[in-house]
Amino acid sequence: MTDIPPTDALHDRAVRIYDAFTHEHHDRRTLLRQMTALAGSAAAAEALILGIAASPAAAAITDPHDARLRIDRREGMEAGARSAAYIATPKASRKRLGTVLVIHENRGLTPHIEDVARRLALSGFHAIAPDLLAPQGGTPPDEDKARTLIGSLDYDLALKQAQAMMAHAAADRSGTGKVGVVGFCWGGAFVNRLAVAAGPALAAGVAYYGPAPDPSEAVKVRAPLMLHYAGKDARVNATGEPWVAALKAAGRPVEAFTYPGVDHAFNNDSAAARYDAAAAGQAWDRTTRFLHRYLDRA
């Protein structure tokens, strides 16, 4: 017996149910009940969930042992609390590099986010992917537990830790002194918040489908921003549109792109049902060009 691909309508409804679980109620029993009602059986519901959810076993786009990269894991203290980060840097670069913080989704510092850090390093950046769950013991293997920890995270502390990492990177004379940030989903929202909090210390920010702050905060932003949105992501887009309008009204440099017909998390290649290679590739090209524009020169 072969699996029958879901219709577009069923797929869209399943994605909305799963997003409500991951971003709102975090109740797996509710998720299973709603998916079973949609799919017709518990087995079909589990298959839908597996297709939509990110897979920890998904193959990385870059090799974790790529000989072109220097990889490091660091632990320490930032802003009075435990900190941790995954760091990727190209070995053969003969020029000073800009630094990019890579902010994870609400599942914490996963292998996928480490993969993104390696992609950035291969694109010519010093990439630092903080584990912002470090003060709570670090990212757990269980994604549901990670989401629970994200819900109780001290957001002000996380912002202070990110700013401390930015300050260390800016002071490193081996780099350009310019620090940018890119984030996805929960991390995309964090990019916007960091842009509000960091002022001119942030040289550039890129947010992928991140819920936006109150538009009144736009006047505090100093960094150029690039914002990527998924056309079918009504939840995030409802906050993104007024945020972009407020940034433009305040005279802040912002580039915003909406990719038609794609789902929230379209960049995450470890979530097969939502990943869109064409949109992800276009967004990535725009992202790396944007970051090079603002980070390459001292």
Side-chain angles (χ1 to χ4, degrees), residues 10 35-36 38-51:
L10 185 145
M35 284 293 202
T36 300
L38 178 67
S41 71
E46 290 287 1
L48 272 177
I49 292 169
L50 285 173

Side-chain angles (χ1 to χ4, degrees), residues 206-229:
V206 181
Y208 280 72
Y209 31 79
D214 188 282
S216 64
E217 301 275 33
V219 294
K220 300 177 184 176
V221 173
R222 292 293 180 270
L225 295 180
M226 175 173 281
L227 309 174
H228 299 295
Y229 296 104

Side-chain angles (χ1 to χ4, degrees), residues 225-277:
L225 295 180
M226 175 173 281
L227 309 174
H228 299 295
Y229 296 104
K232 294 161 72 173
D233 191 3
R235 176 183 61 88
V236 169
N237 296 350
T239 69
E241 291 170 7
W243 177 238
V244 172
L247 288 166
K248 290 180 177 179
R252 302 302 185 252
V254 57
E255 299 178 38
F257 301 96
T258 298
Y259 301 83
V262 302
D263 292 306
H264 181 87
F266 68 81
N267 185 74
N268 191 335
D269 52 280
S270 68
R274 292 186 285 177
Y275 175 61
D276 188 284

Side-chain angles (χ1 to χ4, degrees), residues 129-270:
D131 184 352
L132 294 174
L133 291 176
Q136 296 162 278
T139 296
D142 186 311
E143 290 189 354
D144 289 347
K145 185 175 180 181
R147 292 186 188 98
T148 298
L149 290 175
I150 282 283
S152 60
L153 173 144
D154 183 334
Y155 210 93
D156 288 338
L157 173 61
L159 285 170
K160 289 176 182 177
Q161 289 197 321
Q163 288 175 272
M165 292 182 187
M166 288 170 53
H168 295 322
D172 184 350
R173 295 189 176 183
S174 67
T176 64
K178 299 291 183 63
V179 184
V181 61
V182 60
F184 305 85
C185 188
W186 183 91
F190 191 89
V191 168
N192 285 318
R193 299 286 183 182
L194 186 60
V196 170
L202 181 66
V206 181
Y208 280 72
Y209 31 79
D214 188 282
S216 64
E217 301 275 33
V219 294
K220 300 177 184 176
V221 173
R222 292 293 180 270
L225 295 180
M226 175 173 281
L227 309 174
H228 299 295
Y229 296 104
K232 294 161 72 173
D233 191 3
R235 176 183 61 88
V236 169
N237 296 350
T239 69
E241 291 170 7
W243 177 238
V244 172
L247 288 166
K248 290 180 177 179
R252 302 302 185 252
V254 57
E255 299 178 38
F257 301 96
T258 298
Y259 301 83
V262 302
D263 292 306
H264 181 87
F266 68 81
N267 185 74
N268 191 335
D269 52 280
S270 68

